[in-house]
Amino acid sequence: MIRFEHVAKRYPGGVQALSDVNFELRRGEMAFLTGHSGAGKSTLLRLIAVLERPSRGQVLFDGKNVGRVSSRQIPRLRRKVGVIFQDHKLLTDRKVLDNVALPLLIAGYSWSEIRRRVRAALDLVGLLDKENTLIPALSGGQQQRVGIARAMIAKPPVLLADEPTGNLDPELSEELMRLFCTLNELGTTVLIATHDLDLVERLGRRTLVLKAGCMIDDRSGAGAGRRDGEAGP
Amino acid sequence: MSRMSERGGGDLRAWARRHGYSLLSSVGTLVRNPLTSALTIIVLAIALTLPLGLNTALVNLEAVHDNLDRLDSISVFLELDAGEDGARRVASQLSSWRNILAVDPVSPETGMRELAGATGLDRFEVGDVPLPWVLEVTPNSTVDIAELAERLRRAERVDMVVVDLDWVRRLDAILGVFSRLVILLAALFAASVLFVISNNIRTEIQRRREEIEILALVGATPGYIRRPFLYSGLWMGLGGALLAWLAVHAGLWMLKGPVEALAATYGASAELTAPSVQMLGLMLTGSGVLGILGAWVAVSRQLARINP
Ligand SMILES: Nc1ncnc2c1ncn2[C@@H]1O[C@H](COP(=O)(O)OP(=O)(O)OP(=O)(O)O)[C@@H](O)[C@H]1O
Ligand SMILES: [Mg+2]
């Protein structure tokens, strides 16, 4: 589904965020992406959603080189990828309902269908009673969950999450990670960038480790609880 | 794929819904910022009132000009041997005609003086060219000038009838200049409408940068992102045109009294012509299209920056 071949990304300022990254995420697979702050996790996710273009190498999505797609094709591609952003990226002057509904509005769903689906999604992230609340009136963790609801509402085949549990307490983190696992079992390909190594280990999924822009480890999730080979910052 | 079939309705219905959401969104923006919207619409209205007002003035002046033809005087040249007595007799005869307001006899001497003055020649250079008596006839304001002139031509002792249309022609020329001016101003103000709207949309875009970025992030097409702004441009254009229209009507209403008073001194009745409904339609269309264009320019520039 997603394949990186010798991908490098250098930002205009001269920062080498990624250098020669190779990996493949198959359809229906779920993986975690860890690494120290500034290792390039967000950059890697941004390349998949074509929020950035790679400087070198190929990013293949469904066999298509997304580094080369024309800007006219970008929206269609992005709709196949639900992204949960580290900084939420919510419309701060709108209600929760309007934010979560965004992908469905774009797709032209009927309003009744949108209402139904928004309620279902908010129910999953535990925010059903906040439907008509303005974003600034929510806590950081609640905003994060609005972002999660928005990312999954249109049921995209791929879900990318950048620190989705960064602002959440351990119980809620665990609950939302389980939600990602459930979505994965229903067929969604999931890639989650996170610092929460304990949680990653407990869930025992495949884990990709970035260090200073290089992929230094790619562990399959078979052995839950394994601690050796952990490349700390 | 099951994902595709989950989308309610056909593509056409989805398309219509997307348009509906954009439309609502644009109205929402206007309503959420009533002051900004009102100010923009007022600025547009002012810009549009000028050419529309001038055009209305032009239409009304042309109507006055048609009336002025009738107020013009007619010069009736009598036969050379008519003499003063003959002239006075014909004059009193003519002044009894229903269509004639006044008859003013001009002696050959006066005529000679005027001729010398007008040509700049000394009266001796003009010499002894015999001049006839002339009757300056002021027709009634409702009369058909051509017909009256024809009747005068057939009257007793009349040699020649000259309808002096000089100053009417001059007015004609002035109106020509004026109407060209209206076209120029209309073009100028159309451009200003374009700039006002696109500038307004630009600040609006600046304010809603975040929203545009987020829409792009969740996969909205440039068309989708652009649409609410295009609608905003349309609303502003329409609002401006409508307000300008109302302003011109208000102006006409205020001028009504004085103009009637002025007309009364000429013994005429004045009927001010308001801009036609077709004119309103034309302005709404034009201003609306300009609004959409202005918005298009502003949004496209912004969009180019978002997609890498
Ligand atoms: N838009 C940008 N322009 C220039 N440099 C950038 C940009 N975004 C990220 N970088 C740089 O690229 C490197 C990798 O950043 P990235 O955001 O991918 O790290 P990260 O692994 O997500 O870190 P964190 O865990 O703190 O979120 C960093 O050194 C960062 O300074
Ligand atoms: Mg990051």
Side-chain angles (χ1 to χ4, degrees), chain A residues 51 53 78-79 89 94 106 108-109 111 155, chain B residues 3 17-18 21 211 213 216-217 219 221 308:
Chain A
L51 302 175
R53 306 253 191 190
R78 284 188 189 151
R79 270 181 252 171
K89 300 267 186 219
R94 306 290 171 82
I106 290 169
Y109 283 77
W111 187 241
K155 301 180 182 169
Chain B
R3 275 194 181 84
R17 284 197 201 104
R18 282 196 294 268
Y21 296 144
E211 178 178 349
E213 190 198 343
L217 293 184
T221 57

mmCIF file with all atom_site columns, all heavy atoms in Angstrom, chain A residues 51 53 78-79 89 94 106 108-109 111 155, chain B residues 3 17-18 21 211 213 216-217 219 221 308:
data_model
loop_
_atom_site.group_PDB
_atom_site.id
_atom_site.type_symbol
_atom_site.label_atom_id
_atom_site.label_alt_id
_atom_site.label_comp_id
_atom_site.label_asym_id
_atom_site.label_entity_id
_atom_site.label_seq_id
_atom_site.pdbx_PDB_ins_code
_atom_site.Cartn_x
_atom_site.Cartn_y
_atom_site.Cartn_z
_atom_site.occupancy
_atom_site.B_iso_or_equiv
_atom_site.pdbx_formal_charge
_atom_site.auth_seq_id
_atom_site.auth_comp_id
_atom_site.auth_asym_id
_atom_site.auth_atom_id
_atom_site.pdbx_PDB_model_num
ATOM 1   N N   . LEU A 1 51  ? 1.814   16.343 1.614  1.00 0.00 ? 51  LEU A N   1
ATOM 2   C CA  . LEU A 1 51  ? 1.885   17.685 2.180  1.00 0.00 ? 51  LEU A CA  1
ATOM 3   C C   . LEU A 1 51  ? 3.275   18.241 1.906  1.00 0.00 ? 51  LEU A C   1
ATOM 4   O O   . LEU A 1 51  ? 3.509   19.436 2.003  1.00 0.00 ? 51  LEU A O   1
ATOM 5   C CB  . LEU A 1 51  ? 1.613   17.640 3.685  1.00 0.00 ? 51  LEU A CB  1
ATOM 6   C CG  . LEU A 1 51  ? 0.258   17.027 4.040  1.00 0.00 ? 51  LEU A CG  1
ATOM 7   C CD1 . LEU A 1 51  ? 0.095   16.893 5.537  1.00 0.00 ? 51  LEU A CD1 1
ATOM 8   C CD2 . LEU A 1 51  ? -0.865  17.861 3.464  1.00 0.00 ? 51  LEU A CD2 1
ATOM 9   N N   . ARG A 1 53  ? 6.824   17.164 -0.817 1.00 0.00 ? 53  ARG A N   1
ATOM 10  C CA  . ARG A 1 53  ? 7.335   16.272 -1.856 1.00 0.00 ? 53  ARG A CA  1
ATOM 11  C C   . ARG A 1 53  ? 8.737   15.811 -1.448 1.00 0.00 ? 53  ARG A C   1
ATOM 12  O O   . ARG A 1 53  ? 9.495   16.600 -0.879 1.00 0.00 ? 53  ARG A O   1
ATOM 13  C CB  . ARG A 1 53  ? 7.448   17.035 -3.184 1.00 0.00 ? 53  ARG A CB  1
ATOM 14  C CG  . ARG A 1 53  ? 6.171   17.717 -3.603 1.00 0.00 ? 53  ARG A CG  1
ATOM 15  C CD  . ARG A 1 53  ? 5.538   16.999 -4.755 1.00 0.00 ? 53  ARG A CD  1
ATOM 16  N NE  . ARG A 1 53  ? 4.447   17.770 -5.336 1.00 0.00 ? 53  ARG A NE  1
ATOM 17  C CZ  . ARG A 1 53  ? 3.615   17.260 -6.224 1.00 0.00 ? 53  ARG A CZ  1
ATOM 18  N NH1 . ARG A 1 53  ? 3.763   16.017 -6.630 1.00 0.00 ? 53  ARG A NH1 1
ATOM 19  N NH2 . ARG A 1 53  ? 2.646   17.991 -6.720 1.00 0.00 ? 53  ARG A NH2 1
ATOM 20  N N   . ARG A 1 78  ? -5.414  12.764 -1.183 1.00 0.00 ? 78  ARG A N   1
ATOM 21  C CA  . ARG A 1 78  ? -5.541  13.081 0.241  1.00 0.00 ? 78  ARG A CA  1
ATOM 22  C C   . ARG A 1 78  ? -6.830  12.533 0.831  1.00 0.00 ? 78  ARG A C   1
ATOM 23  O O   . ARG A 1 78  ? -6.911  12.270 2.023  1.00 0.00 ? 78  ARG A O   1
ATOM 24  C CB  . ARG A 1 78  ? -5.486  14.596 0.450  1.00 0.00 ? 78  ARG A CB  1
ATOM 25  C CG  . ARG A 1 78  ? -4.083  15.136 0.323  1.00 0.00 ? 78  ARG A CG  1
ATOM 26  C CD  . ARG A 1 78  ? -4.025  16.589 0.716  1.00 0.00 ? 78  ARG A CD  1
ATOM 27  N NE  . ARG A 1 78  ? -2.717  17.139 0.379  1.00 0.00 ? 78  ARG A NE  1
ATOM 28  C CZ  . ARG A 1 78  ? -2.496  18.395 0.068  1.00 0.00 ? 78  ARG A CZ  1
ATOM 29  N NH1 . ARG A 1 78  ? -3.512  19.246 0.059  1.00 0.00 ? 78  ARG A NH1 1
ATOM 30  N NH2 . ARG A 1 78  ? -1.297  18.808 -0.227 1.00 0.00 ? 78  ARG A NH2 1
ATOM 31  N N   . ARG A 1 79  ? -7.837  12.391 -0.020 1.00 0.00 ? 79  ARG A N   1
ATOM 32  C CA  . ARG A 1 79  ? -9.090  11.872 0.510  1.00 0.00 ? 79  ARG A CA  1
ATOM 33  C C   . ARG A 1 79  ? -8.990  10.385 0.843  1.00 0.00 ? 79  ARG A C   1
ATOM 34  O O   . ARG A 1 79  ? -9.816  9.861  1.574  1.00 0.00 ? 79  ARG A O   1
ATOM 35  C CB  . ARG A 1 79  ? -10.222 12.095 -0.502 1.00 0.00 ? 79  ARG A CB  1
ATOM 36  C CG  . ARG A 1 79  ? -10.885 13.441 -0.276 1.00 0.00 ? 79  ARG A CG  1
ATOM 37  C CD  . ARG A 1 79  ? -11.992 13.671 -1.237 1.00 0.00 ? 79  ARG A CD  1
ATOM 38  N NE  . ARG A 1 79  ? -11.608 14.675 -2.213 1.00 0.00 ? 79  ARG A NE  1
ATOM 39  C CZ  . ARG A 1 79  ? -12.318 14.971 -3.286 1.00 0.00 ? 79  ARG A CZ  1
ATOM 40  N NH1 . ARG A 1 79  ? -13.426 14.287 -3.540 1.00 0.00 ? 79  ARG A NH1 1
ATOM 41  N NH2 . ARG A 1 79  ? -11.925 15.903 -4.115 1.00 0.00 ? 79  ARG A NH2 1
ATOM 42  N N   . LYS A 1 89  ? -4.919  20.928 13.674 1.00 0.00 ? 89  LYS A N   1
ATOM 43  C CA  . LYS A 1 89  ? -5.419  21.532 12.433 1.00 0.00 ? 89  LYS A CA  1
ATOM 44  C C   . LYS A 1 89  ? -6.944  21.535 12.386 1.00 0.00 ? 89  LYS A C   1
ATOM 45  O O   . LYS A 1 89  ? -7.560  21.012 11.453 1.00 0.00 ? 89  LYS A O   1
ATOM 46  C CB  . LYS A 1 89  ? -4.893  20.789 11.205 1.00 0.00 ? 89  LYS A CB  1
ATOM 47  C CG  . LYS A 1 89  ? -3.389  20.776 11.091 1.00 0.00 ? 89  LYS A CG  1
ATOM 48  C CD  . LYS A 1 89  ? -2.901  21.925 10.248 1.00 0.00 ? 89  LYS A CD  1
ATOM 49  C CE  . LYS A 1 89  ? -1.427  21.836 10.000 1.00 0.00 ? 89  LYS A CE  1
ATOM 50  N NZ  . LYS A 1 89  ? -0.778  23.130 10.051 1.00 0.00 ? 89  LYS A NZ  1
ATOM 51  N N   . ARG A 1 94  ? -15.201 27.242 14.477 1.00 0.00 ? 94  ARG A N   1
ATOM 52  C CA  . ARG A 1 94  ? -16.391 26.436 14.184 1.00 0.00 ? 94  ARG A CA  1
ATOM 53  C C   . ARG A 1 94  ? -16.650 25.439 15.309 1.00 0.00 ? 94  ARG A C   1
ATOM 54  O O   . ARG A 1 94  ? -15.815 25.187 16.150 1.00 0.00 ? 94  ARG A O   1
ATOM 55  C CB  . ARG A 1 94  ? -16.205 25.653 12.883 1.00 0.00 ? 94  ARG A CB  1
ATOM 56  C CG  . ARG A 1 94  ? -15.830 26.478 11.693 1.00 0.00 ? 94  ARG A CG  1
ATOM 57  C CD  . ARG A 1 94  ? -16.975 27.346 11.235 1.00 0.00 ? 94  ARG A CD  1
ATOM 58  N NE  . ARG A 1 94  ? -16.501 28.266 10.225 1.00 0.00 ? 94  ARG A NE  1
ATOM 59  C CZ  . ARG A 1 94  ? -16.354 27.938 8.938  1.00 0.00 ? 94  ARG A CZ  1
ATOM 60  N NH1 . ARG A 1 94  ? -16.651 26.717 8.526  1.00 0.00 ? 94  ARG A NH1 1
ATOM 61  N NH2 . ARG A 1 94  ? -15.898 28.814 8.087  1.00 0.00 ? 94  ARG A NH2 1
ATOM 62  N N   . ILE A 1 106 ? -17.044 17.829 1.847  1.00 0.00 ? 106 ILE A N   1
ATOM 63  C CA  . ILE A 1 106 ? -16.264 17.877 0.619  1.00 0.00 ? 106 ILE A CA  1
ATOM 64  C C   . ILE A 1 106 ? -16.725 16.810 -0.363 1.00 0.00 ? 106 ILE A C   1
ATOM 65  O O   . ILE A 1 106 ? -16.790 17.034 -1.570 1.00 0.00 ? 106 ILE A O   1
ATOM 66  C CB  . ILE A 1 106 ? -14.767 17.696 0.945  1.00 0.00 ? 106 ILE A CB  1
ATOM 67  C CG1 . ILE A 1 106 ? -14.253 18.930 1.675  1.00 0.00 ? 106 ILE A CG1 1
ATOM 68  C CG2 . ILE A 1 106 ? -13.956 17.428 -0.302 1.00 0.00 ? 106 ILE A CG2 1
ATOM 69  C CD1 . ILE A 1 106 ? -12.887 18.742 2.268  1.00 0.00 ? 106 ILE A CD1 1
ATOM 70  N N   . GLY A 1 108 ? -19.672 15.637 -0.517 1.00 0.00 ? 108 GLY A N   1
ATOM 71  C CA  . GLY A 1 108 ? -21.041 15.897 -0.944 1.00 0.00 ? 108 GLY A CA  1
ATOM 72  C C   . GLY A 1 108 ? -22.076 14.927 -0.382 1.00 0.00 ? 108 GLY A C   1
ATOM 73  O O   . GLY A 1 108 ? -23.068 14.626 -1.038 1.00 0.00 ? 108 GLY A O   1
ATOM 74  N N   . TYR A 1 109 ? -21.857 14.467 0.840  1.00 0.00 ? 109 TYR A N   1
ATOM 75  C CA  . TYR A 1 109 ? -22.866 13.613 1.475  1.00 0.00 ? 109 TYR A CA  1
ATOM 76  C C   . TYR A 1 109 ? -24.079 14.447 1.863  1.00 0.00 ? 109 TYR A C   1
ATOM 77  O O   . TYR A 1 109 ? -23.969 15.673 2.043  1.00 0.00 ? 109 TYR A O   1
ATOM 78  C CB  . TYR A 1 109 ? -22.295 12.973 2.742  1.00 0.00 ? 109 TYR A CB  1
ATOM 79  C CG  . TYR A 1 109 ? -21.368 11.808 2.481  1.00 0.00 ? 109 TYR A CG  1
ATOM 80  C CD1 . TYR A 1 109 ? -20.065 12.017 2.049  1.00 0.00 ? 109 TYR A CD1 1
ATOM 81  C CD2 . TYR A 1 109 ? -21.804 10.500 2.663  1.00 0.00 ? 109 TYR A CD2 1
ATOM 82  C CE1 . TYR A 1 109 ? -19.214 10.958 1.804  1.00 0.00 ? 109 TYR A CE1 1
ATOM 83  C CE2 . TYR A 1 109 ? -20.960 9.437  2.421  1.00 0.00 ? 109 TYR A CE2 1
ATOM 84  C CZ  . TYR A 1 109 ? -19.660 9.672  1.991  1.00 0.00 ? 109 TYR A CZ  1
ATOM 85  O OH  . TYR A 1 109 ? -18.826 8.629  1.750  1.00 0.00 ? 109 TYR A OH  1
ATOM 86  N N   . TRP A 1 111 ? -26.931 15.972 4.292  1.00 0.00 ? 111 TRP A N   1
ATOM 87  C CA  . TRP A 1 111 ? -26.754 16.497 5.637  1.00 0.00 ? 111 TRP A CA  1
ATOM 88  C C   . TRP A 1 111 ? -27.199 15.481 6.687  1.00 0.00 ? 111 TRP A C   1
ATOM 89  O O   . TRP A 1 111 ? -26.568 15.344 7.742  1.00 0.00 ? 111 TRP A O   1
ATOM 90  C CB  . TRP A 1 111 ? -27.498 17.816 5.783  1.00 0.00 ? 111 TRP A CB  1
ATOM 91  C CG  . TRP A 1 111 ? -27.230 18.515 7.077  1.00 0.00 ? 111 TRP A CG  1
ATOM 92  C CD1 . TRP A 1 111 ? -28.127 18.843 8.044  1.00 0.00 ? 111 TRP A CD1 1
ATOM 93  C CD2 . TRP A 1 111 ? -25.947 18.977 7.552  1.00 0.00 ? 111 TRP A CD2 1
ATOM 94  N NE1 . TRP A 1 111 ? -27.494 19.469 9.087  1.00 0.00 ? 111 TRP A NE1 1
ATOM 95  C CE2 . TRP A 1 111 ? -26.163 19.554 8.813  1.00 0.00 ? 111 TRP A CE2 1
ATOM 96  C CE3 . TRP A 1 111 ? -24.651 18.931 7.043  1.00 0.00 ? 111 TRP A CE3 1
ATOM 97  C CZ2 . TRP A 1 111 ? -25.130 20.098 9.577  1.00 0.00 ? 111 TRP A CZ2 1
ATOM 98  C CZ3 . TRP A 1 111 ? -23.624 19.472 7.797  1.00 0.00 ? 111 TRP A CZ3 1
ATOM 99  C CH2 . TRP A 1 111 ? -23.864 20.047 9.047  1.00 0.00 ? 111 TRP A CH2 1
ATOM 100 N N   . LYS A 1 155 ? -13.998 7.121  6.393  1.00 0.00 ? 155 LYS A N   1
ATOM 101 C CA  . LYS A 1 155 ? -13.514 5.748  6.233  1.00 0.00 ? 155 LYS A CA  1
ATOM 102 C C   . LYS A 1 155 ? -12.453 5.622  5.145  1.00 0.00 ? 155 LYS A C   1
ATOM 103 O O   . LYS A 1 155 ? -12.607 4.849  4.188  1.00 0.00 ? 155 LYS A O   1
ATOM 104 C CB  . LYS A 1 155 ? -14.677 4.810  5.920  1.00 0.00 ? 155 LYS A CB  1
ATOM 105 C CG  . LYS A 1 155 ? -15.728 4.830  7.016  1.00 0.00 ? 155 LYS A CG  1
ATOM 106 C CD  . LYS A 1 155 ? -16.880 3.911  6.717  1.00 0.00 ? 155 LYS A CD  1
ATOM 107 C CE  . LYS A 1 155 ? -17.921 3.996  7.817  1.00 0.00 ? 155 LYS A CE  1
ATOM 108 N NZ  . LYS A 1 155 ? -19.165 3.330  7.459  1.00 0.00 ? 155 LYS A NZ  1
ATOM 109 N N   . ARG B 2 3   ? -16.864 1.182  -0.262 1.00 0.00 ? 3   ARG B N   1
ATOM 110 C CA  . ARG B 2 3   ? -16.709 2.577  0.143  1.00 0.00 ? 3   ARG B CA  1
ATOM 111 C C   . ARG B 2 3   ? -17.407 3.519  -0.830 1.00 0.00 ? 3   ARG B C   1
ATOM 112 O O   . ARG B 2 3   ? -17.995 4.501  -0.444 1.00 0.00 ? 3   ARG B O   1
ATOM 113 C CB  . ARG B 2 3   ? -15.233 2.942  0.197  1.00 0.00 ? 3   ARG B CB  1
ATOM 114 C CG  . ARG B 2 3   ? -14.635 2.567  1.515  1.00 0.00 ? 3   ARG B CG  1
ATOM 115 C CD  . ARG B 2 3   ? -13.304 3.192  1.734  1.00 0.00 ? 3   ARG B CD  1
ATOM 116 N NE  . ARG B 2 3   ? -12.807 2.744  3.016  1.00 0.00 ? 3   ARG B NE  1
ATOM 117 C CZ  . ARG B 2 3   ? -12.167 1.594  3.172  1.00 0.00 ? 3   ARG B CZ  1
ATOM 118 N NH1 . ARG B 2 3   ? -11.934 0.823  2.158  1.00 0.00 ? 3   ARG B NH1 1
ATOM 119 N NH2 . ARG B 2 3   ? -11.752 1.229  4.360  1.00 0.00 ? 3   ARG B NH2 1
ATOM 120 N N   . ARG B 2 17  ? -25.067 19.069 -3.714 1.00 0.00 ? 17  ARG B N   1
ATOM 121 C CA  . ARG B 2 17  ? -24.938 19.287 -2.268 1.00 0.00 ? 17  ARG B CA  1
ATOM 122 C C   . ARG B 2 17  ? -23.692 20.096 -1.955 1.00 0.00 ? 17  ARG B C   1
ATOM 123 O O   . ARG B 2 17  ? -23.716 21.004 -1.134 1.00 0.00 ? 17  ARG B O   1
ATOM 124 C CB  . ARG B 2 17  ? -24.869 17.946 -1.539 1.00 0.00 ? 17  ARG B CB  1
ATOM 125 C CG  . ARG B 2 17  ? -26.210 17.270 -1.432 1.00 0.00 ? 17  ARG B CG  1
ATOM 126 C CD  . ARG B 2 17  ? -26.151 16.192 -0.367 1.00 0.00 ? 17  ARG B CD  1
ATOM 127 N NE  . ARG B 2 17  ? -27.217 15.238 -0.599 1.00 0.00 ? 17  ARG B NE  1
ATOM 128 C CZ  . ARG B 2 17  ? -27.030 14.044 -1.118 1.00 0.00 ? 17  ARG B CZ  1
ATOM 129 N NH1 . ARG B 2 17  ? -25.811 13.643 -1.438 1.00 0.00 ? 17  ARG B NH1 1
ATOM 130 N NH2 . ARG B 2 17  ? -28.039 13.251 -1.309 1.00 0.00 ? 17  ARG B NH2 1
ATOM 131 N N   . ARG B 2 18  ? -22.593 19.751 -2.656 1.00 0.00 ? 18  ARG B N   1
ATOM 132 C CA  . ARG B 2 18  ? -21.358 20.510 -2.408 1.00 0.00 ? 18  ARG B CA  1
ATOM 133 C C   . ARG B 2 18  ? -21.582 21.986 -2.696 1.00 0.00 ? 18  ARG B C   1
ATOM 134 O O   . ARG B 2 18  ? -21.141 22.848 -1.947 1.00 0.00 ? 18  ARG B O   1
ATOM 135 C CB  . ARG B 2 18  ? -20.215 19.966 -3.270 1.00 0.00 ? 18  ARG B CB  1
ATOM 136 C CG  . ARG B 2 18  ? -19.621 18.679 -2.716 1.00 0.00 ? 18  ARG B CG  1
ATOM 137 C CD  . ARG B 2 18  ? -18.283 18.400 -3.343 1.00 0.00 ? 18  ARG B CD  1
ATOM 138 N NE  . ARG B 2 18  ? -18.369 18.124 -4.767 1.00 0.00 ? 18  ARG B NE  1
ATOM 139 C CZ  . ARG B 2 18  ? -18.493 16.910 -5.275 1.00 0.00 ? 18  ARG B CZ  1
ATOM 140 N NH1 . ARG B 2 18  ? -18.534 15.867 -4.479 1.00 0.00 ? 18  ARG B NH1 1
ATOM 141 N NH2 . ARG B 2 18  ? -18.576 16.732 -6.563 1.00 0.00 ? 18  ARG B NH2 1
ATOM 142 N N   . TYR B 2 21  ? -23.569 23.529 0.124  1.00 0.00 ? 21  TYR B N   1
ATOM 143 C CA  . TYR B 2 21  ? -22.761 23.784 1.322  1.00 0.00 ? 21  TYR B CA  1
ATOM 144 C C   . TYR B 2 21  ? -21.900 25.026 1.123  1.00 0.00 ? 21  TYR B C   1
ATOM 145 O O   . TYR B 2 21  ? -21.749 25.846 2.026  1.00 0.00 ? 21  TYR B O   1
ATOM 146 C CB  . TYR B 2 21  ? -21.872 22.566 1.644  1.00 0.00 ? 21  TYR B CB  1
ATOM 147 C CG  . TYR B 2 21  ? -22.639 21.311 1.997  1.00 0.00 ? 21  TYR B CG  1
ATOM 148 C CD1 . TYR B 2 21  ? -22.188 20.057 1.604  1.00 0.00 ? 21  TYR B CD1 1
ATOM 149 C CD2 . TYR B 2 21  ? -23.819 21.381 2.737  1.00 0.00 ? 21  TYR B CD2 1
ATOM 150 C CE1 . TYR B 2 21  ? -22.894 18.907 1.925  1.00 0.00 ? 21  TYR B CE1 1
ATOM 151 C CE2 . TYR B 2 21  ? -24.529 20.244 3.059  1.00 0.00 ? 21  TYR B CE2 1
ATOM 152 C CZ  . TYR B 2 21  ? -24.066 18.998 2.647  1.00 0.00 ? 21  TYR B CZ  1
ATOM 153 O OH  . TYR B 2 21  ? -24.755 17.875 2.957  1.00 0.00 ? 21  TYR B OH  1
ATOM 154 N N   . GLU B 2 211 ? -8.229  28.055 7.497  1.00 0.00 ? 211 GLU B N   1
ATOM 155 C CA  . GLU B 2 211 ? -9.352  27.267 6.997  1.00 0.00 ? 211 GLU B CA  1
ATOM 156 C C   . GLU B 2 211 ? -9.038  26.711 5.609  1.00 0.00 ? 211 GLU B C   1
ATOM 157 O O   . GLU B 2 211 ? -9.297  25.540 5.320  1.00 0.00 ? 211 GLU B O   1
ATOM 158 C CB  . GLU B 2 211 ? -10.590 28.152 6.952  1.00 0.00 ? 211 GLU B CB  1
ATOM 159 C CG  . GLU B 2 211 ? -11.804 27.438 6.412  1.00 0.00 ? 211 GLU B CG  1
ATOM 160 C CD  . GLU B 2 211 ? -13.017 28.336 6.427  1.00 0.00 ? 211 GLU B CD  1
ATOM 161 O OE1 . GLU B 2 211 ? -12.956 29.412 7.046  1.00 0.00 ? 211 GLU B OE1 1
ATOM 162 O OE2 . GLU B 2 211 ? -14.022 27.953 5.812  1.00 0.00 ? 211 GLU B OE2 1
ATOM 163 N N   . GLU B 2 213 ? -6.120  26.150 4.336  1.00 0.00 ? 213 GLU B N   1
ATOM 164 C CA  . GLU B 2 213 ? -5.095  25.122 4.469  1.00 0.00 ? 213 GLU B CA  1
ATOM 165 C C   . GLU B 2 213 ? -5.715  23.808 4.933  1.00 0.00 ? 213 GLU B C   1
ATOM 166 O O   . GLU B 2 213 ? -5.440  22.742 4.377  1.00 0.00 ? 213 GLU B O   1
ATOM 167 C CB  . GLU B 2 213 ? -4.037  25.590 5.477  1.00 0.00 ? 213 GLU B CB  1
ATOM 168 C CG  . GLU B 2 213 ? -2.817  24.693 5.491  1.00 0.00 ? 213 GLU B CG  1
ATOM 169 C CD  . GLU B 2 213 ? -1.991  24.873 6.754  1.00 0.00 ? 213 GLU B CD  1
ATOM 170 O OE1 . GLU B 2 213 ? -2.178  25.886 7.453  1.00 0.00 ? 213 GLU B OE1 1
ATOM 171 O OE2 . GLU B 2 213 ? -1.178  23.979 7.032  1.00 0.00 ? 213 GLU B OE2 1
ATOM 172 N N   . ALA B 2 216 ? -7.632  22.084 2.305  1.00 0.00 ? 216 ALA B N   1
ATOM 173 C CA  . ALA B 2 216 ? -6.717  21.428 1.367  1.00 0.00 ? 216 ALA B CA  1
ATOM 174 C C   . ALA B 2 216 ? -6.157  20.145 1.983  1.00 0.00 ? 216 ALA B C   1
ATOM 175 O O   . ALA B 2 216 ? -6.007  19.126 1.313  1.00 0.00 ? 216 ALA B O   1
ATOM 176 C CB  . ALA B 2 216 ? -5.592  22.376 0.977  1.00 0.00 ? 216 ALA B CB  1
ATOM 177 N N   . LEU B 2 217 ? -5.884  20.191 3.282  1.00 0.00 ? 217 LEU B N   1
ATOM 178 C CA  . LEU B 2 217 ? -5.305  19.023 3.949  1.00 0.00 ? 217 LEU B CA  1
ATOM 179 C C   . LEU B 2 217 ? -6.255  17.832 3.955  1.00 0.00 ? 217 LEU B C   1
ATOM 180 O O   . LEU B 2 217 ? -5.822  16.688 3.871  1.00 0.00 ? 217 LEU B O   1
ATOM 181 C CB  . LEU B 2 217 ? -4.926  19.359 5.397  1.00 0.00 ? 217 LEU B CB  1
ATOM 182 C CG  . LEU B 2 217 ? -3.785  20.345 5.589  1.00 0.00 ? 217 LEU B CG  1
ATOM 183 C CD1 . LEU B 2 217 ? -3.466  20.511 7.065  1.00 0.00 ? 217 LEU B CD1 1
ATOM 184 C CD2 . LEU B 2 217 ? -2.547  19.879 4.833  1.00 0.00 ? 217 LEU B CD2 1
ATOM 185 N N   . GLY B 2 219 ? -8.348  17.189 1.722  1.00 0.00 ? 219 GLY B N   1
ATOM 186 C CA  . GLY B 2 219 ? -8.606  16.712 0.357  1.00 0.00 ? 219 GLY B CA  1
ATOM 187 C C   . GLY B 2 219 ? -9.636  17.489 -0.435 1.00 0.00 ? 219 GLY B C   1
ATOM 188 O O   . GLY B 2 219 ? -10.205 16.973 -1.394 1.00 0.00 ? 219 GLY B O   1
ATOM 189 N N   . THR B 2 221 ? -10.852 19.934 -3.223 1.00 0.00 ? 221 THR B N   1
ATOM 190 C CA  . THR B 2 221 ? -10.283 20.366 -4.504 1.00 0.00 ? 221 THR B CA  1
ATOM 191 C C   . THR B 2 221 ? -10.201 21.889 -4.512 1.00 0.00 ? 221 THR B C   1
ATOM 192 O O   . THR B 2 221 ? -10.937 22.555 -3.788 1.00 0.00 ? 221 THR B O   1
ATOM 193 C CB  . THR B 2 221 ? -11.171 19.928 -5.671 1.00 0.00 ? 221 THR B CB  1
ATOM 194 O OG1 . THR B 2 221 ? -12.472 20.476 -5.458 1.00 0.00 ? 221 THR B OG1 1
ATOM 195 C CG2 . THR B 2 221 ? -11.266 18.426 -5.771 1.00 0.00 ? 221 THR B CG2 1
ATOM 196 N N   . PRO B 2 308 ? 1.958   21.831 -2.738 1.00 0.00 ? 308 PRO B N   1
ATOM 197 C CA  . PRO B 2 308 ? 3.369   21.815 -3.088 1.00 0.00 ? 308 PRO B CA  1
ATOM 198 C C   . PRO B 2 308 ? 3.613   21.304 -4.504 1.00 0.00 ? 308 PRO B C   1
ATOM 199 O O   . PRO B 2 308 ? 2.799   20.584 -5.032 1.00 0.00 ? 308 PRO B O   1
ATOM 200 C CB  . PRO B 2 308 ? 3.983   20.850 -2.060 1.00 0.00 ? 308 PRO B CB  1
ATOM 201 C CG  . PRO B 2 308 ? 2.884   19.952 -1.659 1.00 0.00 ? 308 PRO B CG  1
ATOM 202 C CD  . PRO B 2 308 ? 1.640   20.772 -1.737 1.00 0.00 ? 308 PRO B CD  1
#
